[in-house]
Amino acid sequence: MLEKLRKQLQQLTPQRLDHIVMPEAAVLLPIVERPAPTLLFTRRASHLSTHSGQVAFPGGKREPFDSDLYATALREAEEEIALDPALVQPLGRLSDVISLHGIRVTPWVGIIPPDLPLIADPGELDAIFEVPLSHFLDDHRTHTDVITVDGVAHYVPSYHVDGHVIWGLSAMMLVELLAEGFGMPIDLYQRPQGPLRHHPERKNRLSKLSTSVPDSAPSRSNQ
């Protein structure tokens, strides 16, 4: 499964939005190399004043000393969950996305060993958890959020796993991983089966250049 993913991501030409001048951020989608691979998520600490309790991939804003956005993703993952950058096997990047707070976020996919001594930064996070990739490949969404930006509907899956809700920007990145990395027939622009949950329409001056959805992830890239 993971070898197929590696080959698919090496062939992928992700959408890059380098021409848009705005703050940059990066996140890491860590796939845990178990017999049944899992995807690692974090949850924003409940004591925080914004986005408390929300789920994300580790990541955050680019700093001037970061050599590139992959370095940003690794640094933030080390700061947030004590993930040693040397233990990450990079597989490739996904398409840039723009948060509604005006931050361009670049997702990176990497494989990490199982059972690492990861520790959540208590200043930002209160949980680190894994979800089997099969949960997403079998499309165990609870519903689909319909997010309309400048008249364009985006069908973003929402997953409830052990009390955690994975939706919004993180789920949007997940859709590309599933579609491009595993060939799953899933698409942000095609209405799926199952219940829909409509959100108020939004206006976004960047919608013609990129896809923007509500921020759901707790990482600093979505603030």
Side-chain angles (χ1 to χ4, degrees), residues 26-28 69-79 83-86 88:
V27 299
L28 179 68
L69 285 165
Y70 180 58
T72 298
L74 293 181
R75 175 183 56 76
E76 286 285 340
E78 184 174 24
E79 292 177 2
L83 174 60
D84 184 348
V88 181

Side-chain angles (χ1 to χ4, degrees), residues 137-158:
L137 290 168
D138 294 338
D139 206 352
H140 290 302
R141 70 180 76 191
T142 54
H143 67 272
T144 300
D145 290 304
V146 183
I147 296 147
T148 303
V149 182
D150 287 352
V152 178
H154 304 77
Y155 297 95
V156 185
S158 180

Side-chain angles (χ1 to χ4, degrees), residues 29-51:
L29 280 63
I31 297 175
V32 185
E33 193 173 15
R34 299 187 181 279
T38 63
L39 194 56
L40 184 144
F41 295 88
T42 65
R43 186 180 66 198
R44 190 171 174 83
S46 58
H47 68 264
L48 296 175
S49 58
T50 58
H51 306 299

Side-chain angles (χ1 to χ4, degrees), residues 12 42 68 134 182:
L12 177 66
T42 65
D68 54 29
S134 60
F182 297 99

